[in-house]
Amino acid sequence: MLVRLAQVLEERCVDLEGAEARYREAVELDPGHRQALAQLRQLYATKERWDRYLAVAQQEMDLSMRPFERAAFFTDVGQVWLRKLGDPQQAVAQFELALEADAEHADALLGLADAQVKQGAPDRAALALARAIERLRGAERAPALVALGDLYANDLDEPERAHEAYQRALSDDPRSHLALEALAERAGREKNWELFQELQERRWEAAQDDVRRLTVAHDAGRVHLEERADAPAARLWFQRALELFPEDPVVHLYLADIERLSGNQQALSEHLKQAAALADEAAPADLLLSLIHISEPTRRRLES
């Protein structure tokens, strides 16, 4: 009855203090009441009272649980140590306890890999990710494959295995923005511009909102502008960005840089005026000018 009352106070009345008092009463009456302990622990997570969270977890871990419940419990505690308290060593210990309870627990394996990366052990993290990947299926496997690809690419110097992992991720989830981004970056590094453009178009189509589409437009446009000096290709991407966010001063700055490259001084001046008009007072003209590569004579005219 006390636990149910606490749930009502927490969920419907948003009375966290009242809920905490009822959960604590329930635990005092029955120290082995796992539901009360679990709810109290989650309430402390909501309140970000990590000292109390861990104290309750210490009490809860001694209770009887089925293997999958124990694995989930230690995985939750491991994530707190890793993401909230910044202690990967303690996190690894918790994830290993989870895997003692259920060696097939994918979330524990993924958490273990994250913690081992932060410990500076990418080789062990790759092994943990590979074990998790064996247990996952379909679209839920794609992020793990991308993470494995990132390890191969950035930490283990195995670019071909990284590429294979990214391709597998894309096979599992053709709209995986992480896999598409990684493959697009590789295409850019290899100067395979046809593939680069194709992958950026797929990123654009897969983006779930305008903010992500803006990111794609910026990424593609910057590469065409800064690495290829291809003003027409860059203009197409930044025009897309402008259609999404016509009052974004940064887009106007990039378009100004494109017009500088094209030699269109009138369009360059117009975009700079738009950027200055749209920018906040916190972004003075000298800062705006520092963000683009305009010619020195134009810079002097604008500053005068």
Side-chain angles (χ1 to χ4, degrees):
M1 186 65 181
L2 283 169
V3 171
R4 181 60 187 147
L5 175 59
Q7 289 173 329
V8 170
L9 289 170
E10 181 180 1
E11 297 168 10
R12 298 187 184 179
C13 303
V14 199
D15 180 0
L16 299 186
E17 299 304 321
E20 178 184 352
R22 300 294 85 75
Y23 287 134
R24 293 182 68 86
E25 281 184 51
V27 171
E28 287 173 7
L29 290 170
D30 180 3
H33 196 307
R34 180 154 189 258
Q35 184 183 5
L37 286 167
Q39 294 284 142
L40 183 58
R41 176 167 55 86
Q42 292 306 320
L43 185 144
Y44 286 141
T46 300
K47 297 173 71 173
E48 298 188 340
R49 292 297 306 270
W50 304 118
D51 53 341
R52 294 189 179 184
Y53 176 98
L54 293 174
V56 173
Q58 187 68 33
Q59 186 176 350
E60 190 179 349
M61 68 182 291
D62 294 330
L63 302 180
S64 176
M65 303 181 211
R66 288 172 290 183
F68 73 89
E69 291 174 330
R70 185 167 292 276
F73 166 76
F74 281 115
T75 298
D76 286 347
V77 177
Q79 291 292 357
V80 166
W81 277 110
L82 181 63
R83 302 188 183 283
K84 303 301 182 180
L85 300 176
D87 190 331
Q89 183 175 350
Q90 286 284 359
V92 164
Q94 300 302 312
F95 293 130
E96 288 177 341
L97 287 170
L99 292 168
E100 285 180 15
D102 180 359
E104 308 258 330
H105 198 280
D107 286 342
L109 288 165
L110 294 172
L112 179 62
D114 282 346
Q116 288 170 332
V117 167
K118 289 180 171 59
Q119 281 188 315
D123 49 345
R124 283 185 286 157
L127 291 174
L129 277 172
R131 287 174 62 192
I133 287 165
E134 290 176 2
R135 291 153 179 80
L136 296 168
R137 294 291 181 272
E140 69 174 356
R141 181 170 55 188
L145 283 163
V146 172
L148 182 61
D150 289 345
L151 281 177
Y152 284 140
N154 303 324
D155 299 284
L156 299 175
D157 194 24
E158 296 190 51
E160 294 311 312
R161 295 184 75 178
H163 185 256
E164 179 186 351
Y166 295 139
Q167 290 285 13
R168 285 183 64 193
L170 209 55
S171 296
D172 282 340
D173 180 5
R175 298 178 67 84
S176 169
H177 67 279
L178 293 173
L180 288 167
E181 181 179 1
L183 289 168
E185 288 177 357
R186 177 186 170 105
R189 288 194 301 272
E190 295 178 349
K191 302 189 184 307
N192 186 340
W193 301 120
E194 183 177 352
L195 179 59
F196 174 84
Q197 184 68 11
E198 176 193 333
L199 290 165
Q200 297 292 10
E201 291 287 355
R202 289 180 64 181
R203 285 182 70 200
W204 176 271
E205 292 299 325
Q208 296 177 351
D209 54 54
D210 285 349
V211 172
R212 289 188 180 184
R213 290 188 187 91
L214 179 67
T215 299
V216 175
H218 276 222
D219 289 349
R222 282 200 305 268
V223 169
H224 284 303
L225 179 63
E226 296 169 5
E227 297 188 27
R228 301 188 66 199
D230 185 339
R235 185 184 289 108
L236 287 174
W237 282 106
F238 284 114
Q239 286 291 351
R240 285 184 176 185
L242 194 64
E243 290 171 9
L244 292 174
F245 295 95
E247 297 186 355
D248 182 352
V250 175
V251 174
H252 283 285
L253 289 173
Y254 277 117
L255 286 167
D257 212 13
I258 290 166
E259 300 309 340
R260 177 201 59 79
L261 188 65
S262 302
N264 189 334
Q265 295 297 314
Q266 182 178 351
L268 164 63
S269 176
E270 184 59 34
H271 281 300
L272 285 173
K273 289 177 182 177
Q274 288 283 347
L278 293 168
D280 293 333
E281 293 181 0
D286 59 344
L287 176 58
L288 296 177
L289 291 170
S290 73
L291 294 175
I292 60 174
H293 310 296
I294 64 173
S295 64
E296 190 60 33
T298 302
R299 183 188 300 274
R300 284 199 296 270
R301 285 200 305 274
L302 288 166
E303 288 177 334
S304 63

